[in-house]
Amino acid sequence: MISHRDSNAQRIAALDEQAEALKLKRGMGIADARAMHPSIDVVEADPEADRRLLEGLADWCDRYTPLVAIDGEDGLFLDVTGCTHLFGGERAMQDEILTRFFEQGFDVRAGLASTPGAAWAAARFHGDRIVASGEEEALLAPLPLSALRIAPETRISLESVGLRTAGAVMAAPRAPLARRFGATLLLRLDQALGRLDEAVSPRLPVAPLSVERHLAEPIMLTDDIERLVSRLAIALKTDLERRGEGARALALLLFRVDGAVSRIAVGTSRPMREPQLIRKLFHERLTALEHSIDAGFGFDLVRLSVLSVAAFDLAQGDLAGEASDDDDIALFADRIRARLGEAAVLKPVVVESHLPERAVAVVPFAEAPRRRMPPKQSDRVAPPMTIYPPERPVRLFRSPEPIEVPATEIPEGPPMNFRWRRALYRVARAEGPERIAAEWWRQLPGEEEAPTRDYYRIEDSEGRRYWLYRQGLYGGAPQAAPRWFMHGVFA
């Protein structure tokens, strides 16, 4: 028996058949139950563990349909439309589900109908029944009001006026029911009878393309899984070519014979549909997860799904049939990411900002925009004047470091020497300034304007080169005296 706390009292949340035989019921206080039967065993409820178990069962039910939704605390909705013929029909499919759950140690009740409401009632009040289309009313008529999935307050109000079964509600006039008990009652009734559609929202997005292989003999070795991935990828390639698309994200689902499911996902920086390349990515991922994937007694179902697609641009290769350098780099980055994670390969991208520390952002390789070739200039148009950008340091510090400048040649000129990290440097040559003003579009209303920066390229007496800047201008307020910072080094 399982207990939970309700209004500062321990009450029965769930009980087995032996406890039911002792006339114990849900909601009864634990103290009263122990007074009646002192020898009963009581276990504290763990809602988080129950939720994880239910989600694991939902993952396992993906082998029957990708449309799996969680219903409350102890139920699952499976939309098996168009899937039953793959398992020999509705009765064969339901029997297989019940048998497999029983072999895993679960007491399961199932119902199959053309509407979610009728299937819910068949599972909760019959246990194992298939309701043919058009028989929903005959199924619901003798059942209690709770079979309509209405709120307890509505059920108690209906029983107080003598309506104790779903059939009695169906026989009553609809207008008075709606005025007194609300529109939800009729909505649930119409959904169960199929008069109104009721959508089942799957807990996971449905993959646009999937291929799977049922295995007569379970597999456990990584090499066998990789070979099966290649075969499944060949089948995927045909569908991707027909759609003119390539995969950007793929998932490999390994269904273990005892009900556990392993989900392995990889991403690609460019659309991909070559089976050998897909196998290489999953080889890296499986190698990284080798110690965390427990094959148990083996996997009897393997599914390869395309989670995200993009248009596949056909590019003309060279005469030798070799890929371009960009393709090789993309494949290399994808394999490293599959082995070490998304943050293993990063790429700098240009950001529209005046400030050097904001001008470049580091993003995951797959999210970086692809490099595009500049358009060719027409022969009739004169080439534009070449403008060389200012020289930038090889190493730019993440945050500028303050330095001490004792004196300058002129108030607005470069320093004669400076102290950085407790060392004194004498300036031999200087070039600048390069003035960078504040970004006015980032300034909030009422906020003080950020100081102007004057950057200098400095070479000390030993030939080392630095990138310094002065923040602020001379001649301003005393409390806003200019400050100097080291922002980067050239070599």
Side-chain angles (χ1 to χ4, degrees):
M1 190 168 56
I2 298 176
S3 67
H4 72 105
R5 181 169 294 278
D6 181 17
S7 300
N8 296 325
Q10 289 292 117
R11 300 186 180 276
I12 298 177
L15 62 167
D16 58 10
E17 295 179 354
Q18 295 180 357
E20 290 179 348
L22 298 176
K23 306 300 182 180
L24 301 178
K25 297 180 180 180
R26 289 188 179 184
M28 179 182 293
I30 296 297
D32 297 336
R34 288 191 182 277
M36 297 171 57
H37 305 281
S39 61
I40 59 176
D41 294 330
V42 181
V43 179
E44 182 70 21
D46 188 350
E48 292 296 330
D50 293 341
R51 187 68 177 184
R52 290 194 299 268
L53 174 62
L54 189 61
E55 290 177 351
L57 297 178
D59 286 338
W60 180 81
C61 287
D62 280 349
R63 67 190 299 133
Y64 299 105
T65 173
L67 301 175
V68 180
I70 292 179
D71 174 45
E73 299 178 354
D74 58 354
L76 295 174
F77 271 124
L78 278 68
D79 188 348
V80 296
T81 305
C83 302
T84 56
H85 69 281
L86 301 175
F87 301 89
E90 296 177 349
R91 172 54 63 183
M93 182 179 187
Q94 182 164 308
D95 291 344
E96 179 182 340
I97 294 175
L98 294 175
T99 301
R100 283 180 173 268
F101 271 115
F102 177 78
E103 292 174 349
Q104 296 177 32
F106 295 100
D107 182 13
V108 180
R109 300 177 180 180
L112 197 152
S114 57
T115 65
W120 189 92
R124 302 277 177 169
F125 294 92
H126 288 277
D128 181 13
R129 180 170 176 178
I130 297 178
V131 183
S133 180
E135 297 181 357
E136 294 83 7
E137 185 173 352
L139 167 75
L140 294 172
L143 298 181
L145 297 177
S146 54
L148 297 177
R149 300 178 294 165
I150 56 179
E153 298 81 6
T154 305
R155 175 178 56 81
I156 294 174
S157 299
L158 288 168
E159 291 175 348
S160 65
V161 298
L163 301 177
R164 301 182 178 277
T165 63
V169 174
M170 288 186 285
R174 293 174 62 90
L177 289 176
R179 285 194 301 268
R180 183 167 182 178
F181 303 103
T184 304
L185 172 63
L186 299 181
L187 173 65
R188 285 301 193 186
L189 182 61
D190 291 341
Q191 287 177 340
L193 296 177
R195 298 170 184 169
L196 292 177
D197 293 334
E198 179 181 1
V200 175
S201 301
R203 53 186 294 268
L204 296 176
V206 180
L209 289 175
S210 293
V211 290
E212 63 184 33
R213 180 70 61 86
H214 291 262
L215 305 173
E217 293 293 334
I219 60 175
M220 293 181 290
L221 301 179
T222 303
D223 293 341
D224 295 335
I225 297 175
E226 291 182 13
R227 282 193 291 269
L228 197 54
V229 168
S230 296
R231 297 176 183 175
L232 295 176
I234 293 174
L236 274 182
K237 181 181 179 181
T238 303
D239 293 332
L240 290 172
E241 288 178 343
R242 175 172 44 83
R243 296 162 57 117
E245 297 173 336
R248 287 297 306 271
L250 300 106
L252 178 66
L253 278 69
L254 305 174
F255 295 83
R256 216 165 63 183
V257 294
D258 61 352
V261 181
S262 297
R263 190 183 301 269
I264 305 169
V266 297
T268 65
S269 55
R270 296 186 179 182
M272 179 183 298
R273 60 191 185 194
E274 287 298 325
Q276 292 303 320
L277 300 182
I278 294 176
R279 177 175 179 174
K280 289 180 180 180
L281 293 184
F282 278 105
H283 168 76
E284 302 294 345
R285 193 65 185 148
L286 290 170
T287 302
L289 301 176
E290 182 177 3
H291 300 290
S292 59
I293 297 179
D294 184 10
F297 294 101
F299 304 105
D300 63 343
L301 173 61
V302 178
R303 177 184 299 159
L304 182 61
S305 301
V306 177
L307 304 180
S308 176
V309 296
F312 192 89
D313 297 331
L314 296 176
Q316 177 66 43
D318 56 17
L319 296 178
E322 298 179 356
S324 64
D325 293 339
D326 291 344
D327 294 337
D328 292 338
I329 294 175
L331 177 59
F332 170 78
D334 291 341
R335 296 183 66 177
I336 295 297
R337 290 166 46 234
R339 175 73 70 95
L340 303 178
E342 290 294 327
V345 182
L346 304 176
K347 185 176 181 180
V349 296
V350 178
V351 179
E352 294 183 356
S353 177
H354 289 176
L355 301 182
E357 63 267 25
R358 296 178 183 171
V360 176
V362 179
V363 300
F365 188 87
E367 299 178 7
R370 294 183 60 179
R371 184 179 63 182
R372 298 183 180 274
M373 298 298 295
K376 294 183 178 180
Q377 296 291 341
S378 174
D379 296 337
R380 300 180 180 179
V381 180
M385 181 183 299
T386 303
I387 300 177
Y388 295 97
E391 186 178 0
R392 289 292 182 260
V394 176
R395 179 187 176 193
L396 189 70
F397 298 152
R398 185 182 300 273
S399 298
E401 300 182 7
I403 61 175
E404 298 177 11
V405 177
T408 59
E409 296 180 357
I410 57 176
E412 302 294 337
M416 299 177 61
N417 53 67
F418 61 91
R419 188 178 298 276
W420 176 47
R421 295 180 180 177
R422 299 183 180 181
L424 182 64
Y425 299 85
R426 299 191 180 278
V427 177
R429 297 177 182 85
E431 184 180 4
E434 175 192 348
R435 178 159 294 182
I436 298 180
E439 299 173 338
W440 56 267
W441 59 89
R442 292 178 177 267
Q443 184 177 351
L444 299 177
E447 185 180 7
E448 185 179 354
E449 184 178 357
T452 301
R453 297 181 182 182
D454 282 346
Y455 279 85
Y456 294 89
R457 289 180 288 276
I458 300 296
E459 183 178 330
D460 65 5
S461 56
E462 298 183 4
R464 292 169 297 200
R465 304 181 65 200
Y466 309 93
W467 204 38
L468 315 179
Y469 74 87
R470 182 187 65 249
Q471 180 174 286
L473 302 174
Y474 288 99
Q479 65 271 18
R483 301 173 58 194
W484 289 84
F485 294 89
M486 172 75 68
H487 207 163
V489 294
F490 286 92

